[in-house]
Amino acid sequence: MLYLNLQKAPFNNLLVRKAISAAINRDQLPQGVAEYAKVANPSGVITPTLNSWIAPAYQSATFTYSTAQAKSYLQQAGYTLGSDGFFQKSGKDLTLALNVVNGWNDWDADTAFIQKDLVAAGIKASINTQSDYTPYYNSISTGAYDGALSWTNSGPTPFYPFYAMLSSANSAAAGKAVGGTNFERWDATTSNGFSAEVDKDLLQYEETSDAATQKTAIGDIEKVMVEQLPAIPLTVNVYWDEYTTTNWQGWPEASNPYAPGSPYLAPDFEYVILHLKAAA
């Protein structure tokens, strides 16, 4: 995801978020050591593991890369293109500093591409390369940043990443650490009312074991992801794991990627164990 700090103007403006998303050429992002990465689905659902959870309206959805469309969104938001080539409002350029960790080669490369795309669309983007993980995480978790590439939680259904990223319970006031991956600080103060809708859907999912009802709730959240861009999906990466079929069979594999197989990922490891059967 590209997380934007929604407690900071102008990133709380949906048109600005739409402009940033439209400006990014995601096809060039799977670079460096992450050449195995694929472009994300606009719904934010992790593919291909959770494809069956993507609502019909978004099964074939793709992102539109258009510098012209990005500029149009900014003009709709009240920005004008200045003589320096950057959009501005009230005499101030539209700026965006992108945080990334020095040495994270794949994300370093992706951030460089994104920065160039944003500059081409008239956004004065820069890269804030941080020395290591600690200052990077501290900045995104406490809200001391503009934008940053970061991860989402995994899980056997989209509920888990969506709860971590969008539950208002995981947001926090400026300067306080957020929970989960709600680095964008999506809550009642930043979502124009959509946070309550998402919280209701998350609760509906939790309160039922009926798969159809759960998928309806997840589909409602996907609509918010697509239309409101609380966080901007970029690419889908992989988790690595090793297994042997000597004693047990039913591990997640390329033909049946039902969950990440890494033993340190919860609740996935329980989900994997429940799929295992003794080897013949």
Side-chain angles (χ1 to χ4, degrees):
M1 294 287 173
L2 172 61
Y3 290 96
L4 299 172
N5 188 346
L6 302 186
Q7 290 181 345
K8 273 186 152 184
F11 312 120
N12 57 345
N13 186 322
L14 176 58
L15 287 169
V16 172
R17 298 199 297 276
K18 284 184 173 182
I20 291 170
S21 180
I24 299 171
N25 179 6
R26 290 167 176 81
D27 288 335
Q28 68 182 348
L29 294 186
Q31 297 291 325
V33 298
E35 291 178 354
Y36 46 78
K38 305 297 181 184
V39 174
N41 183 279
S43 68
V45 172
I46 299 171
T47 58
T49 309
L50 305 178
N51 279 352
S52 64
W53 286 86
I54 300 177
Y58 307 124
Q59 280 285 341
S60 301
T62 57
F63 288 99
T64 298
Y65 162 55
S66 172
T67 300
Q69 182 63 69
K71 291 180 177 181
S72 176
Y73 284 136
L74 293 176
Q75 289 167 344
Q76 292 173 52
Y79 287 85
T80 57
L81 194 61
S83 58
D84 60 357
F86 296 112
F87 280 95
Q88 54 186 230
K89 184 185 288 188
S90 302
K92 294 184 178 180
D93 287 337
L94 172 54
T95 62
L96 169 56
L98 298 167
N99 286 18
V100 70
V101 178
N102 182 44
W104 288 11
N105 295 344
D106 49 350
W107 288 11
D108 290 342
D110 286 353
T111 301
F113 278 109
I114 291 171
Q115 186 256 350
K116 290 179 181 178
D117 286 343
L118 296 178
V119 168
I123 299 170
K124 198 171 188 178
S126 60
I127 299 175
N128 179 25
T129 302
Q130 297 181 285
S131 58
D132 57 43
Y133 172 80
T134 299
Y136 161 82
Y137 184 75
N138 286 344
S139 66
I140 63 174
S141 64
T142 61
Y145 80 108
D146 291 345
L149 272 68
S150 200
W151 60 88
T152 56
N153 282 18
S154 62
T157 78
F159 168 82
Y160 298 91
F162 283 160
Y163 181 85
M165 182 169 56
L166 300 176
S167 171
S168 63
N170 284 330
S171 186
K176 302 293 184 180
V178 299
T181 59
N182 194 345
F183 302 123
E184 77 281 8
R185 310 173 104 73
W186 175 261
D187 57 31
T189 66
T190 61
S191 69
N192 294 322
F194 288 96
S195 175
E197 179 181 322
V198 170
D199 283 345
K200 181 179 178 181
D201 287 322
L202 291 170
L203 182 61
Q204 183 181 38
Y205 176 100
E206 288 186 287
E207 289 182 337
T208 182
S209 60
D210 179 70
T213 303
Q214 288 182 331
K215 285 196 172 183
T216 296
I218 293 298
D220 289 344
I221 297 173
E222 291 171 21
K223 187 173 188 291
V224 172
M225 281 293 298
V226 171
E227 296 183 359
Q228 298 300 314
L229 290 171
I232 298 175
L234 297 174
T235 60
V236 178
N237 293 285
V238 303
Y239 279 117
W240 299 110
D241 60 89
E242 294 181 286
Y243 62 88
T244 174
T245 57
T246 301
N247 298 309
W248 299 96
Q249 296 178 339
W251 303 97
E253 55 187 2
S255 62
N256 185 23
Y258 61 83
S262 298
Y264 56 83
L265 293 173
D268 303 88
F269 51 65
E270 180 180 3
Y271 197 61
V272 171
I273 289 172
L274 293 173
H275 278 73
L276 297 182
K277 297 180 181 179

